[in-house]
Amino acid sequence: MNTKKIKKQEQQHTVPGSYLENFVDENGHVWVFDTDDKIFNVNPNNILKERHFYSITADDGQKDVSVENILGSIEADFINVFREKFVKDLFLTDEERVAVSVFIAALMTRTRPHRDHLKKSLEEIRDRMDEWTKKPISEEEKRTLSAIPSSGGATIDLETLNSGLKNFDEHHSTSILRSLSHSTALIYNMKWSVWKNEGYGFVTSDDPVVLLRPASLKKFGAGTFGSAPGLKWKDVELTLPLSKDRLLLAGWILNNDSYITVSDEMAGRIDHRTITHSRDRIITSSKTKAENIKSRYTEKPYKLKIASKVI
């Protein structure tokens, strides 16, 4: 392998550059609005990438880029389907549907925001476990714990958790591939609707796959256990902007697979999901749209709040 190729593999996209190319302007660049309130125009291959983000350190100290290579193959399969089917409003073969499902499943877990959120959650569990080990347990608490039936599942101790957190990034890299089959099967079996809008269009972000349960949100409120999203929930909706004029909506309660043209109002409402799910960067094909987002969304990550009515 030559030196140039090695250097290229060191820089790994947390969101695929080939996917971001679907959002370019007439000059082949995208417009980015970030949480420093900056708007800039850039080649999509030069953003959302980090050095050795998915690499695994081998026993000899060398960086293994196998995960990056597999993700690259998944991305290539998706782009082929996008160009041959999605842009032509054609329905997919079973094999093509699998390829897109794998891409979405990987994109759900491979991003920087997802990695950081997962690490933070585990650190909070570690801190609580650490507190428990330092706090004497009463006889009443012992009796209560002994009365709780075992789930029969695997357990984790504080030492194992600390060890995992010490090398968390590489553990996360390998877990991306391990989790693919389960998520892929669920996404594959949902009904899919491709929304088209060439006027208002769609944006994407540094964490573009969004899971939302609108009915449960209305019933239980945001941030509650009752509205927490997951692929198995009957009322869940999965959205992924496919390009600046197409978006995939998947769910269990849709009637049929479809291609539909939606109004600017509907495109704006679905953009709101993408924007409020982003963390650091929102990507669009228009400077005007980036400026509009900047003027209307005021609160920084993790959840950007809108300053005026969503159109």
Side-chain angles (χ1 to χ4, degrees):
M1 184 180 294
N2 61 48
T3 304
K4 286 185 177 180
K5 188 172 183 179
I6 292 174
K7 290 294 184 182
K8 183 178 180 181
Q9 288 185 314
E10 289 180 357
Q11 295 296 323
Q12 301 168 356
H13 279 91
T14 59
V15 174
S18 56
Y19 161 76
L20 295 175
E21 288 175 3
N22 292 343
F23 298 85
V24 297
D25 60 15
E26 62 276 8
N27 297 315
H29 288 62
V30 293
W31 289 92
V32 181
F33 170 49
D34 67 19
T35 49
D36 292 324
D37 280 341
K38 295 178 181 177
I39 294 176
F40 56 94
N41 194 225
V42 65
N43 186 308
N45 288 306
N46 294 333
I47 56 169
L48 299 181
K49 62 181 182 180
E50 299 183 29
R51 188 171 184 270
H52 285 304
F53 189 74
Y54 306 107
S55 298
I56 310 298
T57 305
D59 293 338
D60 61 1
Q62 297 297 310
K63 293 294 186 180
D64 183 338
V65 296
S66 298
V67 174
E68 167 71 3
N69 289 337
I70 293 171
L71 290 174
S73 178
I74 291 171
E75 296 159 18
D77 290 342
F78 164 76
I79 291 300
N80 285 337
V81 176
F82 175 80
R83 292 171 178 169
E84 295 301 319
K85 292 296 182 71
F86 283 133
V87 299
K88 301 175 182 178
D89 299 349
L90 298 175
F91 291 103
L92 312 187
T93 65
D94 289 345
E95 184 177 357
E96 291 166 339
R97 193 179 180 95
V98 169
V100 176
S101 299
V102 172
F103 176 79
I104 297 172
L107 193 52
M108 286 177 62
T109 59
R110 64 178 284 179
T111 65
R112 166 58 73 183
H114 179 86
R115 176 179 286 188
D116 289 348
H117 176 73
L118 181 58
K119 185 176 183 180
K120 182 180 179 182
S121 298
L122 292 175
E123 286 173 339
E124 290 175 351
I125 293 172
R126 185 268 317 275
D127 293 343
R128 289 174 187 171
M129 291 174 67
D130 189 46
E131 288 177 8
W132 293 339
T133 60
K134 294 175 180 177
K135 177 183 176 182
I137 186 169
S138 68
E139 291 300 318
E140 183 180 352
E141 288 172 327
K142 288 179 182 178
R143 288 193 296 272
T144 301
L145 289 172
S146 64
I148 300 174
S150 171
S151 65
T155 59
I156 186 170
D157 57 41
L158 187 57
E159 182 180 355
T160 303
L161 186 54
N162 276 321
S163 176
L165 284 168
K166 185 180 294 185
N167 197 28
F168 178 80
D169 287 356
E170 295 196 3
H171 285 309
H172 172 258
S173 295
T174 57
S175 73
I176 295 170
L177 302 181
R178 288 199 304 269
S179 65
L180 280 182
S181 59
H182 178 68
S183 298
T184 295
L186 292 170
I187 295 167
Y188 175 91
N189 284 298
M190 289 176 166
K191 296 297 183 183
W192 293 7
S193 180
V194 177
W195 287 18
K196 303 186 296 175
N197 180 286
E198 296 183 359
Y200 188 90
F202 301 102
V203 302
T204 191
S205 78
D206 55 359
D207 200 13
V209 180
V210 181
L211 294 180
L212 201 66
R213 298 170 61 203
S216 295
L217 277 172
K218 186 175 181 180
K219 182 177 181 180
F220 298 106
T224 63
F225 179 78
S227 63
L231 288 172
K232 288 186 175 181
W233 289 104
K234 183 179 180 181
D235 63 337
V236 75
E237 294 180 355
L238 179 153
T239 56
L240 171 65
L242 298 173
S243 68
K244 57 189 174 186
D245 58 15
R246 279 169 170 73
L247 175 138
L248 176 66
L249 172 68
W252 300 108
I253 57 177
L254 300 179
N255 292 324
N256 296 293
D257 290 348
S258 62
Y259 284 87
I260 61 173
T261 299
V262 298
S263 66
D264 289 356
E265 179 182 0
M266 289 302 297
R269 289 186 180 279
I270 215 74
D271 260 359
H272 179 67
R273 296 189 188 186
T274 305
I275 292 167
T276 55
H277 189 257
S278 69
R279 191 181 74 172
D280 297 321
R281 290 184 168 179
I282 300 159
I283 293 94
T284 178
S285 61
S286 163
K287 182 180 181 181
T288 300
K289 191 161 187 176
E291 290 174 338
N292 185 38
I293 293 169
K294 179 179 178 179
S295 69
R296 295 167 59 233
Y297 289 81
T298 57
E299 187 174 320
K300 300 299 189 295
Y302 284 94
K303 296 298 180 184
L304 296 165
K305 289 187 177 178
I306 195 162
S308 59
K309 183 180 177 181
V310 183
I311 68 167

